[in-house]
Amino acid sequence: NLLKRLSNQEKHEWGTKWESWQNLFWKHRQSNSNSDSGIEEFLKWIKIIELSKMNKNETSSKLIESIRKIKDSKKIDIEGLSLDKIDSFFVALEKILILRKDLNFNISWLTGRNIQTIDYIKFIPLLMYVERNPNFETIDVIRFTRFFQNVTRFDTVSKNPYSSLIDVILLTNQ
């Protein structure tokens, strides 16, 4: 669906990129038979980020319900996603993977299985930060990551992870 309105040349270029995206998730699929659930999870992250940024004035309960639906869905609705946006976040993800040991990045998140909302609070701000600041200093990314990992230890965050997720996305966006 993302490729259907493109010229043949553009379809070839983006199709090649899509294959490289799939290869990364294939490499980290663990016991999954294919890379589909990993890619779906990655697209969910982007969808949640974009939804939260666009609907920051929505009522909290409405936004929480929308995010819950995205997280719990098997197939992601690609409306509102663009190839450019996906590519930008993929480049950020590749940079994060290079630093994954320093960032305590849980590689199993790339499988798309058994990811808790609290994990989103640890990871989505990091993805947003690296996507927005591609020429980051490693120490800044490590500090940023530790901050959000520490935030997840608060009882109020663990008791209301969806509400906290919206808060951290909006905070990171600022």
Side-chain angles (χ1 to χ4, degrees), residues 90-104:
F90 184 79
V91 169
L93 179 61
E94 287 180 310
K95 291 178 180 187
I96 291 168
L97 289 176
I98 291 168
L99 299 172
R100 75 175 174 248
K101 289 185 175 125
D102 295 325
L103 302 175
N104 292 329

Side-chain angles (χ1 to χ4, degrees), residues 1-6 10 14 17-18 21 39 42-51 53-54 76-91 131:
N1 285 335
L2 288 168
L3 299 175
K4 71 181 175 185
R5 291 191 177 102
L6 302 177
E10 291 170 319
W14 282 109
K17 281 191 177 198
W18 190 273
W21 301 340
I39 289 241
F42 174 66
L43 295 175
K44 286 178 187 182
W45 300 336
I46 300 168
K47 186 81 174 189
I48 289 169
I49 291 167
E50 295 303 307
L51 178 74
K53 288 184 340 188
M54 289 180 349
I76 190 74
D77 174 13
I78 61 167
E79 186 175 329
L81 296 180
S82 71
L83 290 166
D84 287 326
K85 184 56 69 178
I86 295 168
D87 187 46
S88 181
F89 279 107
F90 184 79
V91 169
E131 189 264 343

